[in-house]
Amino acid sequence: MLSVLTALYVAVRAVSCQAEPIRVVVTGAAGQIAYSLLYSIAKGDVFGKDQPIILVLLDIPPMLPVLDGVVMELQDCALPLLREVIPTDKVEVGFKDLDAAILVGSMPRKEGMERSDLLKANVAIFKTQGAALDKYAKKTVKVLVVGNPANTNCLIASKSAPSIPKENFSCLTRLDHNRASSQVAIRCGVPANDVKNVIIWGNHSSTQYPDVHHAKVNVNGSEMAAYDAVKDDSWLKGDFISTVQLRGAAVIKARKLSSAMSAAKAICDHMRDIWFGTKEGEFISMGVYAGGNSYGVPEDLIYSFPVQIKNKTWKVVEGLSINDFSKAKMEATAAELVDERDTAVAFISQ
């Protein structure tokens, strides 16, 4: 009897592993974030342990030799879910029939570069990539923009892909969310997974607002409000916020390189939650289209909100009470995004 059950299990397992592969592109695939990210995707940490993957690696032509090395390493990992790896510098190859797009590559700010110059360079990149998504990808593709300025790059990509629903585009603020959760956990002396429902409002920049007014902390088996668990309002309204806002710069100062390991982990968290949903009673932070929100945020923006996800569809958590302190922070980061948007949109038509 046992051998029959074992054979049945093996047969079912074999069938389950024969699911159609999904196509996932990572741009900037020769970079350090991608190097920390690709293994997790390929071994099933993001899209599921039974989901075969075709991994498409897109980068600029000078990086193709580096991509060859990345391909060799992925092959040498001998990962059973990884069906094919396709390195390319062509968007028509990179964006063909995609199920998911993780847009990591962008123009970094260089010394002496004005902010408007940075926006102009990235508008060109994300206008091209948005148009390519519109032309070649599935209309159901889920697009995550990581390359900075992530919110505005995401908005430009969405505007350049009119046949793909705006709701399919999001930008990464999960790294900020994870940073905020971790800071509260360290302060309370609990594991990071005992902190839930922190919020990142607004832009993935130094104006973002990490908000713990609705966060909960599990302390010795008892769930309590973050403010009650931390017992230090001045820290939560001061150093906590600035630490999260400026964490990326602090990492660069220490490493002489930008965040890669933590960024890759946040990308995995973000895409896994899109694919499999958020836990009951919990919400996470994502930069999403602001249309129809109830928090007074201007509508034509990609703005980070608390969201819950079910059936691959996100929904902004509505009805949270917002005090005057929070409202001022939320408005400040929205104002920065409006300025970015207006500058970027002016470049689109040029």
Side-chain angles (χ1 to χ4, degrees):
M1 181 66 180
L2 188 59
S3 61
V4 172
L5 289 174
T6 302
L8 184 61
Y9 171 79
V10 170
V12 170
R13 182 76 177 170
V15 170
S16 70
C17 287
Q18 289 169 9
E20 279 295 304
I22 59 170
R23 291 178 73 95
V24 180
V25 72
V26 175
T27 72
Q32 60 158 350
I33 291 176
Y35 194 77
S36 295
L37 171 66
L38 293 169
Y39 175 72
S40 294
I41 293 175
K43 83 182 190 55
D45 288 351
V46 179
F47 300 103
K49 298 296 185 184
D50 292 321
Q51 177 58 66
I53 300 255
I54 296 171
L55 200 48
V56 187
L57 311 182
L58 179 67
D59 216 313
I60 57 177
M63 301 310 294
L64 286 178
V66 178
L67 281 188
D68 287 340
V70 175
V71 171
M72 285 187 269
E73 285 217 70
L74 284 166
Q75 291 170 342
D76 295 348
C77 288
L79 298 165
L81 293 175
L82 187 58
R83 297 301 161 84
E84 189 177 359
V85 187
I86 303 170
T88 185
D89 61 349
K90 296 177 173 58
V91 291
E92 61 268 27
V93 176
F95 290 161
K96 179 180 171 56
D97 295 335
L98 288 179
D99 296 282
I102 302 171
L103 308 185
V104 179
S106 65
M107 170 71 77
R109 191 165 189 166
K110 298 174 182 174
E111 193 172 346
M113 182 182 274
E114 293 295 328
R115 185 164 151 274
S116 61
D117 294 333
L118 179 69
L119 277 168
K120 187 173 186 177
N122 279 296
V123 163
I125 293 168
F126 285 87
K127 180 181 178 182
T128 299
Q129 293 189 350
L133 285 165
D134 198 60
K135 185 173 182 180
Y136 300 110
K138 293 178 181 176
K139 302 311 175 189
T140 53
V141 65
K142 301 297 184 183
V143 183
L144 168 59
V145 176
V146 179
N148 288 317
N151 298 59
T152 300
N153 288 344
C154 184
L155 183 68
I156 296 305
S158 175
K159 284 180 176 292
S160 304
S163 70
I164 297 172
K166 292 182 176 67
E167 293 75 20
N168 289 23
F169 287 82
S170 59
C171 82
L172 188 74
T173 57
R174 185 60 170 270
L175 177 52
D176 310 301
H177 180 102
N178 288 349
R179 287 166 171 164
S181 296
S182 178
Q183 288 297 310
V184 171
I186 292 167
R187 195 78 172 188
C188 295
V190 301
N193 62 351
D194 282 342
V195 178
K196 69 179 186 182
N197 296 355
V198 303
I199 302 169
I200 303 298
W201 298 99
N203 200 2
H204 175 60
S205 74
S206 60
T207 69
Q208 65 175 265
Y209 171 42
D211 177 12
V212 296
H213 284 96
H214 305 280
K216 303 289 184 186
V217 183
N218 189 316
V219 181
N220 298 323
S222 177
E223 194 170 87
M224 61 178 69
Y227 269 80
D228 295 334
V230 172
K231 300 186 181 70
D232 189 343
D233 290 13
S234 63
W235 179 75
L236 284 171
K237 291 185 176 180
D239 286 350
F240 162 71
I241 292 174
S242 60
T243 296
V244 177
Q245 288 174 329
L246 302 173
R247 189 67 158 190
V251 169
I252 291 172
K253 185 176 181 181
R255 288 188 75 224
K256 308 299 184 281
L257 293 166
S258 61
S259 306
M261 177 170 46
S262 56
K265 163 64 164 53
I267 292 166
C268 292
D269 292 344
H270 180 116
M271 291 304 288
R272 189 189 310 110
D273 283 345
I274 287 179
W275 236 249
F276 297 105
T278 48
K279 295 177 184 175
E280 191 67 32
E282 294 189 23
F283 46 79
I284 52 92
S285 303
M286 283 171 50
V288 296
Y289 188 66
N293 78 88
S294 64
Y295 294 106
V297 174
E299 300 222 335
D300 194 26
L301 295 176
I302 298 290
Y303 187 99
S304 184
F305 289 99
V307 303
Q308 292 175 316
I309 306 170
K310 189 175 183 179
N311 299 326
K312 296 185 182 176
T313 302
W314 57 263
K315 184 179 179 183
V316 172
V317 177
E318 302 289 3
L320 298 174
S321 58
I322 305 295
N323 61 24
D324 289 343
F325 177 84
S326 294
K327 186 177 180 184
K329 298 282 189 187
M330 291 165 66
E331 288 176 349
T333 192
E336 181 182 56
L337 280 169
V338 168
D339 183 46
E340 279 188 18
R341 176 200 66 197
D342 292 348
T343 303
V345 168
F347 287 137
I348 287 183
S349 55
Q350 290 183 5

